[in-house]
Amino acid sequence: MRITKQREIILQILREKRSHPTALEIYNMAKEHIHDISLSTVYRTLKDMVEKGEIVELHMEGETKARYDLNLDNHAHFKCRHCGRIFDIEIMFPLKLIGFKVERTDIYIYGICSQCSKKEVLA
Ligand SMILES: [Zn+2]
Ligand SMILES: [Zn+2]
């Protein structure tokens, strides 16, 4: 019963917050809905949801904390090294790998986002 509630709240947070939040960020937002929720519960629920394929865990270069994403469609992640934002990037799938059965695809791209690029030109 409790697990269902926590899962619902986490799904709701990920639906509203498309910034690929970390467990700690999710925990801080979840506290507003469930006052006695603990960080370890959030970690446990997230781990369970990742294992069940309901959400995706991201590991961006240079970050110690995993991030979470509700978007299960194949997409790449672009991290702007200027503003730190992470963008969902559509790329052409499926990758044709003859003889290989693809179970998961993680594509991380690093650089400067379009907004920061514009600012750099202006500066
Ligand atoms: Zn940027
Ligand atoms: Zn994403």
Side-chain angles (χ1 to χ4, degrees), residues 14 17-26 46 50 55-61 63-70 77 79 83-86 108:
L14 288 171
K17 191 112 174 122
R18 307 309 292 262
S19 62
H20 307 86
T22 62
L24 187 62
E25 286 168 339
I26 293 167
L46 285 169
V50 169
I55 58 170
V56 180
E57 193 174 76
L58 314 181
H59 297 274
M60 305 298 295
E61 190 184 277
E63 295 187 2
T64 52
K65 301 272 185 281
R67 295 172 174 275
Y68 297 89
D69 192 0
L70 189 63
H77 289 103
K79 184 178 180 184
C83 65
R85 279 188 296 171
I86 292 165
Y108 298 123

Side-chain angles (χ1 to χ4, degrees), residues 6-32:
Q6 288 145 10
R7 184 185 240 97
E8 269 171 24
I9 293 296
I10 290 174
L11 283 172
Q12 190 192 320
I13 289 167
L14 288 171
R15 219 174 283 130
E16 288 167 6
K17 191 112 174 122
R18 307 309 292 262
S19 62
H20 307 86
T22 62
L24 187 62
E25 286 168 339
I26 293 167
Y27 165 68
N28 284 329
M29 289 181 270
K31 270 198 299 193
E32 290 172 21

Side-chain angles (χ1 to χ4, degrees), residues 33-63:
H33 302 276
I34 307 172
H35 297 284
D36 60 348
I37 196 165
S38 70
L39 183 57
S40 64
T41 303
V42 170
Y43 274 117
R44 214 179 322 117
T45 310
L46 285 169
K47 188 172 176 282
D48 187 55
M49 291 165 79
V50 169
E51 280 168 9
K52 290 196 166 81
E54 296 171 350
I55 58 170
V56 180
E57 193 174 76
L58 314 181
H59 297 274
M60 305 298 295
E61 190 184 277
E63 295 187 2

Side-chain angles (χ1 to χ4, degrees), residues 56-58 71-77 91-97 101-108:
V56 180
E57 193 174 76
L58 314 181
N71 185 354
L72 299 178
D73 293 336
N74 276 323
H75 64 285
H77 289 103
I91 51 173
M92 298 303 279
F93 283 99
L95 302 173
K96 295 242 182 299
L97 302 176
K101 186 176 173 286
V102 177
E103 293 181 334
R104 213 184 76 184
T105 308
D106 293 327
I107 300 178
Y108 298 123

